[in-house]
């Protein structure tokens, strides 16, 4: 296709090209936040990615005259397809120069790979799980990206439309200025939840999270996110994988766990002090100085933003003040840490209950992103 060739990644050299093509794509984009190379490589290693037990994952690289110009990953999540009674091939980690021949060749490679395995539609960007990066940015390209969400150039959506893709779902992120005091509504509802319902906020160490509490939290995620678009239940091995991945960057003081009088976990808010500046300075490499920037942001000089990655409430406790307990607990700590503002992870635009909880904090809705879909001919 217009002297563009796309090959399956089968060698170390091809994987290096897969990883480093982003260096050229994002050379002139200061908003871009790189992933650590180690994490990218780990996606394709059965020893580190338990999602490969129920998913087929195939990375591809596009070349023009032996120069890498794009990449994409095809994913067939058999567990999700069974749950949602679909035959979808997902695309993920798509990156390309502003060249329609390149984007078309990448999508064609995943489409043909999916069709060979009986898939009837393609959609994405989606990862193996709902906790992977998902959704192509379609607005606010001037805003700096985040550690856990996709940033992409403004020409990407134009390419998807030209390739015949349509909207499947959109997500939005929410940015808030951290108030100096807890809004009265949150304080009042939080007090009710403590006194009348018997809920309490707990904080746990990394050791306690690893030795049992973490499993309870991920079980809560499975319960809370079961009806959400594209979600497939996490296995015990995946729970351990995400614990290993995030425990090194989690501060237990800003990870409130809500328990009832029976010591059951009924709510959890996973928040992390931003590592955007550290990741940008490291260029995605731990060595030689990436570890220093990361350690400095984690331990000695917090960035002024916090990423609110996940908020989960057990279905039978939704609407009973759990979210108010999160804010009542976190706002004073954020102020103590010098945090000026917070940004959520992507939230589905039709999740009215989730979006409405932010109203007392005067939210700004930003970074709309999209899952695209297309039937395979």
């Amino acid at each position: 296709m217009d002297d563009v060739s796309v090959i399956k990644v089968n060698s170390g050299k091809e994987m290096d090209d897969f990883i480093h093509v982003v260096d050229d794509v994002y050379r002139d984009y200061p908003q871009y936040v790189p992933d650590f190379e180690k994490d990218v490589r780990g996606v394709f290693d059965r020893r580190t990615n338990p999602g490969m037990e129920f998913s087929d994952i195939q990375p591809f690289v596009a070349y023009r005259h032996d120069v890498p110009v794009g990449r994409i990953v095809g994913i067939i999540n058999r567990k999700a397809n069974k749950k949602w009674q679909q035959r979808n091939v997902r695309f993920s980690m798509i990156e390309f120069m502003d060249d329609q021949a390149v984007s078309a060749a990448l999508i064609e490679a995943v489409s043909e790979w999916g069709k060979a395995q009986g898939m009837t539609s393609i959609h994405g960007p989606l990862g193996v799980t709902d906790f992977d990066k998902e959704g192509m940015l379609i607005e606010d390209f001037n805003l700096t990206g985040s550690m856990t969400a996709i940033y992409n150039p403004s020409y990407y959506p134009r390419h998807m439309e030209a390739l015949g893709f349509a909207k499947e779902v959109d997500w939005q992120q929410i940015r808030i200025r951290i108030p100096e005091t807890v809004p009265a509504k949150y304080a009042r509802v939080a007090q009710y939840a403590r006194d009348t319902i018997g809920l309490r906020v707990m904080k746990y160490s990394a050791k306690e999270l690893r030795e049992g509490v973490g499993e309870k939290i991920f079980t809560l995620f499975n319960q809370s996110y079961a009806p959400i678009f594209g979600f497939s239940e996490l296995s015990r091995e995946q729970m351990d994988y995400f614990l290993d991945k995030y425990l090194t960057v989690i501060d237990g003081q800003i990870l409130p766990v809500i328990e009832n009088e029976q010591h059951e976990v009924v709510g959890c808010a996973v928040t992390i002090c931003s590592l955007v500046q550290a990741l940008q300075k490291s260029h995605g490499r731990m060595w030689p100085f990436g570890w220093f920037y990361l350690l400095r942001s984690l331990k000695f000089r917090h960035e002024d933003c916090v990423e609110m990655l996940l908020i989960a409430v057990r279905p039978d406790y939704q609407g009973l003040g759990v979210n108010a307990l999160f804010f009542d607990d976190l706002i004073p700590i954020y102020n103590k840490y010098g945090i000026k503002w917070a940004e959520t992870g992507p939230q589905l635009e039709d999740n009215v209950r989730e979006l409405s909880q932010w109203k007392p904090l005067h939210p700004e809705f930003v970074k709309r992103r999209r899952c695209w879909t297309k039937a395979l001919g």
Side-chain angles (χ1 to χ4, degrees):
M1 181 179 294
D2 191 32
D3 68 8
V4 175
S5 60
V6 178
I7 66 170
K8 294 180 179 179
V9 173
N10 289 311
S11 70
K13 161 62 164 71
E14 292 159 358
M15 178 53 69
D16 288 344
D17 289 343
F18 177 91
I19 289 172
H20 293 299
V21 72
V22 296
D23 297 342
D24 291 325
V25 173
Y26 292 101
R27 191 175 305 282
D28 298 319
Y29 290 88
Q31 302 90 349
Y32 175 65
V33 181
D35 295 309
F36 272 119
E37 290 183 12
K38 178 177 180 292
D39 292 338
V40 177
R41 294 180 190 275
V43 170
F44 311 106
D45 189 338
R46 289 187 177 276
R47 296 169 297 179
T48 58
N49 184 1
M52 295 184 76
E53 293 184 8
F54 56 83
S55 298
D56 298 322
I57 304 175
Q58 178 60 60
F60 298 85
V61 178
Y63 294 90
R64 174 177 275 122
H65 305 308
D66 297 324
V67 177
V69 290
R71 76 180 192 191
I72 196 170
V73 177
I75 299 172
I76 298 175
N77 183 326
R78 296 185 296 277
K79 185 188 293 187
N81 278 345
K82 181 178 180 180
K83 174 183 177 179
W84 298 99
Q85 298 183 343
Q86 297 170 331
R87 286 187 287 169
N88 281 325
V89 56
R90 301 178 174 192
F91 68 89
S92 182
M93 294 190 190
I94 185 170
E95 308 286 3
F96 50 87
M97 306 297 185
D98 191 5
D99 185 325
Q100 196 70 50
V102 176
S103 57
L106 290 167
I107 290 295
E108 182 180 9
V110 170
S111 298
E112 292 302 316
W113 179 76
K115 284 196 292 185
Q117 299 183 67
M119 301 300 106
T120 58
S121 60
I122 179 172
H123 67 166
L126 292 168
V128 172
T129 77
D130 199 50
F131 300 129
D132 297 323
K133 292 185 178 183
E134 57 189 8
M136 181 178 289
L137 194 66
I138 62 172
E139 295 176 352
D140 295 329
F141 304 100
N142 60 306
L143 298 179
T144 300
S146 62
M147 181 175 66
T148 55
I150 292 170
Y151 178 84
N152 54 261
S154 59
Y155 60 82
Y156 277 32
R158 171 167 49 83
H159 281 242
M160 302 308 295
E161 291 172 350
L163 290 168
F165 281 85
K167 170 185 173 180
E168 184 167 17
V169 298
D170 277 5
W171 295 267
Q172 288 185 295
Q173 290 176 251
I174 295 170
R175 300 178 82 179
I176 58 170
R177 279 282 175 186
I178 303 299
E180 294 182 359
T181 58
V182 178
K185 178 180 179 180
Y186 289 146
R188 182 174 63 253
V189 175
Q191 193 63 46
Y192 169 84
R194 284 190 290 264
D195 295 345
T196 305
I197 303 177
L199 302 180
R200 59 179 181 170
V201 179
M202 301 294 295
K203 301 295 175 67
Y204 290 103
S205 67
K207 183 175 184 293
E208 291 170 318
L209 289 169
R210 191 180 295 279
E211 292 180 351
V213 178
E215 183 180 356
K216 293 180 180 179
I217 291 171
F218 278 108
T219 298
L220 169 70
F221 291 154
N222 279 340
Q223 294 171 329
S224 301
Y225 294 153
I228 291 179
F229 167 79
F231 183 76
S232 59
E233 183 175 296
L234 295 174
S235 65
R236 176 59 190 270
E237 291 75 20
Q238 286 179 287
M239 295 179 187
D240 291 339
Y241 166 76
F242 283 113
L243 280 171
D244 288 340
K245 182 175 181 178
Y246 287 110
L247 275 182
T248 56
V249 297
I250 283 178
D251 178 346
Q253 290 304 303
I254 56 173
L255 197 157
V257 178
I258 311 300
E259 295 185 357
N260 61 16
E261 292 176 325
Q262 290 74 46
H263 305 290
E264 298 170 326
V265 173
V266 299
C268 182
V270 180
T271 78
I272 297 179
C273 289
S274 175
L275 298 174
V276 164
Q277 295 175 27
L279 287 166
Q280 289 180 325
K281 290 176 180 178
S282 74
H283 303 289
R285 301 170 181 87
M286 189 65 76
W287 303 101
F289 300 115
W291 65 270
F292 169 76
Y293 298 126
L294 190 65
L295 184 64
R296 184 173 63 175
S297 287
L298 285 171
K299 301 295 183 182
F300 305 113
R301 190 185 300 172
H302 292 303
E303 299 177 23
D304 66 356
C305 173
V306 69
E307 295 192 29
M308 309 188 80
L309 306 185
L310 301 166
I311 294 180
V313 180
R314 208 170 79 182
D316 55 329
Y317 277 82
Q318 293 175 4
L320 297 180
V322 175
N323 287 322
L325 281 169
F326 293 145
F327 296 123
D328 186 64
D329 176 76
L330 288 170
I331 289 172
I333 301 174
Y334 290 160
N335 278 295
K336 179 181 176 182
Y337 280 15
I339 302 296
K340 302 300 183 184
W341 57 283
E343 184 172 287
T344 70
Q347 302 187 20
L348 286 165
E349 64 176 351
D350 60 357
N351 191 341
V352 177
R353 173 178 286 183
E354 179 72 17
L355 296 175
S356 64
Q357 69 176 313
W358 303 95
K359 189 174 181 179
L361 293 171
H362 310 292
E364 178 186 5
F365 293 87
V366 297
K367 298 181 180 178
R368 180 178 291 273
R369 55 189 67 248
R370 178 161 296 170
C371 177
W372 302 91
T373 187
K374 179 181 177 181
L376 294 177

